[in-house]
Amino acid sequence: VATYSPGSQVTDHCAIDRDQRAVEVELARKTNESWQNAQQIYLQGGNSKSYALITLSEPLRSDVAKGTSVTGKNADGNEVAGKMYDTTSSGAVNVKVQYATTDVQDSYVQCQVGALVGEDINMSGCFADGENTINIGGEVYTYTYTAATENKNGRTIAGFSTQLEDKLKNGPGAPYADFEYFRKYY
């Protein structure tokens, strides 16, 4: 593994281990509240494939393709970059914007919210709360959103757990022979 060089950016995928750590911390507290926190982190995540759910004040003027560049500002007025999470049709007012990630694991994304609690939450790189402007593919829109509740995650431990068999049996490059050995054994 030490000499392996991935062909794509994997820092955001690797961030799922931060969710695992957060679950373990909550379980170690051994309270009813911490059990619920751990369950929510398992189901909703907090660190991997972070995106904002933004409500536009006016509908999209045209269809916007998945991956289209999006920029806005954080609470300190610094630029926040992202991309459209999905292709979104003209007329939509609710959009998902996936935050940009870097190749540096320690600072791959600066908006980590989801179901995280306490000091694990990082909103320094989230879009600014309230009513602000955002640039979607060169078009400026006014939006509203709340960083503490409208930042979600598209990759979760639960998703890995529940979707793996289907992906390995029916996804691109499937079926995988090694998966079939594993499935038959267990």
Side-chain angles (χ1 to χ4, degrees), residues 112-133:
Q112 298 146 313
V113 183
L116 298 175
V117 294
E119 62 189 40
D120 286 337
I121 296 172
N122 174 11
M123 292 194 288
S124 66
C126 298
F127 292 112
D129 272 340
E131 185 175 82
N132 293 285
T133 58

Side-chain angles (χ1 to χ4, degrees), residues 21-177:
R21 180 187 48 81
V23 166
E24 291 173 10
V25 167
E26 290 302 312
L27 291 175
R29 291 188 175 133
K30 298 182 180 180
T31 67
N32 288 338
E33 180 183 3
S34 66
W35 166 254
Q36 291 172 350
N37 291 342
Q39 188 175 34
Q40 291 308 304
I41 295 166
Y42 171 82
L43 293 170
Q44 299 175 30
N47 288 287
S48 189
K49 205 170 184 180
S50 298
Y51 66 88
L53 292 171
I54 292 176
T55 302
L56 303 176
S57 299
E58 66 175 285
L60 285 174
R61 298 177 197 113
S62 60
D63 294 349
V64 181
K66 176 181 179 175
T68 297
S69 176
V70 178
T71 57
K73 302 283 184 185
N74 68 5
D76 295 329
N78 298 316
E79 184 171 290
V80 174
K83 61 185 178 182
M84 291 296 286
Y85 189 95
D86 296 310
T87 296
T88 308
S89 298
S90 172
V93 293
N94 297 313
V95 298
K96 288 183 182 180
V97 179
Q98 183 178 348
Y99 291 100
T101 57
T102 71
D103 291 331
V104 180
Q105 192 66 52
D106 288 340
S107 59
Y108 68 100
V109 70
Q110 294 301 307
C111 186
Q112 298 146 313
V113 183
L116 298 175
V117 294
E119 62 189 40
D120 286 337
I121 296 172
N122 174 11
M123 292 194 288
S124 66
C126 298
F127 292 112
D129 272 340
E131 185 175 82
N132 293 285
T133 58
I134 194 165
N135 184 312
I136 302 173
E139 296 282 335
V140 177
Y141 294 90
T142 301
Y143 74 88
T144 57
Y145 110 124
T146 304
T149 58
E150 295 178 300
N151 282 298
K152 309 293 182 181
N153 297 88
R155 188 177 298 111
T156 67
I157 299 169
F160 275 124
S161 299
T162 59
Q163 299 167 7
L164 183 63
E165 183 173 359
D166 182 57
K167 287 182 180 183
L168 294 178
K169 283 174 62 177
N170 305 313
Y176 293 92

